Amino acid sequence: MHPHPAFRWEDRPAIRELVRDIGFGALFAATPDGPRVAHVPVVWLDDETLGFHLARGNGLVRHLDGATGLFNLQGPDAYISPDWYGIGPDQVPTWNYVAVELEGRVTRTDDDGLVAILDAISNEQERRLAPKPEWTRGKMDPALFSKMTSAIIGYRLEVQAWRGTLKLGQNKPDAARLAAADALEAQGRRAVAALMRSAK
């Protein structure tokens, strides 16, 4: 994560909310063949535990149970032109971004745990699609659902280290940060602009 202390993000409820909102990221783990990454949908199973699943054929599967995993989530980001600050020529380009790293022990679930993770992920995502009627696995042929789930494995990541970064120009004067936010908004980068306006 970014070393500048102004950008450290330690608000766990807000981090949880960002992970819940995005629901997708990269899981890294060490293997005898070197570091590997898998891109996974995630869901909070409780305040300290993420649930996710991998295809049974994924190379990480052989090494993940009991290992340390690092889940990385990228939030909104944008290039920042030094011209936008309006505070003179001695500025440099940068990138503003929101990112989260959650590190902890990974354990494989049983079949019931896998189904619970799948239900939780689909429930979390489907409720956002309202007024569309929610999809549930109850709409599927149970035998087909069972066959399809036999191709994946469920996991829990018990978060032991939380590392968040909110790099939104907090190290600049307020007027310069807000001017850059206005320029971003004009470029259509509304998410980062809004975050920059609320940064302290």
Side-chain angles (χ1 to χ4, degrees), residues 71-179:
F71 176 73
N72 174 258
L73 178 139
Q74 296 294 126
D77 68 274
Y79 170 81
I80 305 297
S81 171
D83 296 332
W84 293 344
Y85 295 126
I87 53 176
D90 294 329
Q91 302 296 311
V92 295
T94 193
W95 212 277
N96 281 359
Y97 64 95
V98 179
V100 170
E101 292 180 6
L102 302 173
E103 183 178 336
R105 185 168 179 266
V106 177
T107 54
R108 182 174 171 165
T109 69
D110 59 15
D111 290 343
D112 289 342
L114 167 63
V115 171
I117 288 168
L118 296 174
D119 284 347
I121 290 172
S122 64
N123 291 343
E124 182 73 38
Q125 298 302 319
E126 285 287 328
R127 71 177 176 76
R128 299 173 189 193
L129 304 178
K132 179 189 98 57
E134 243 181 78
W135 178 91
T136 68
R137 67 183 162 91
K139 295 182 177 183
M140 286 188 73
D141 176 323
L144 179 58
F145 180 81
S146 179
K147 179 180 178 184
M148 294 178 82
T149 56
S150 70
I152 58 178
I153 298 173
Y155 292 94
R156 298 167 55 93
L157 186 150
E158 298 165 29
V159 181
Q160 296 159 333
W162 299 67
R163 293 184 289 274
T165 298
L166 282 175
K167 183 180 177 297
L168 299 168
Q170 303 96 311
N171 59 331
K172 301 292 183 189
D174 286 349
R177 179 174 42 79
L178 295 174

Side-chain angles (χ1 to χ4, degrees), residues 30-52:
T31 78
D33 301 320
R36 294 292 181 265
V37 61
H39 298 89
V40 295
V42 296
V43 67
W44 287 106
L45 301 177
D46 60 45
D47 282 352
E48 306 290 324
T49 310
L50 283 175
F52 64 95

Side-chain angles (χ1 to χ4, degrees), residues 11-34:
D11 182 344
R12 289 190 183 182
I15 289 172
R16 282 189 199 99
E17 192 60 31
L18 180 69
V19 172
R20 182 176 291 111
D21 283 348
I22 294 177
F24 190 81
L27 181 85
F28 297 85
T31 78
D33 301 320

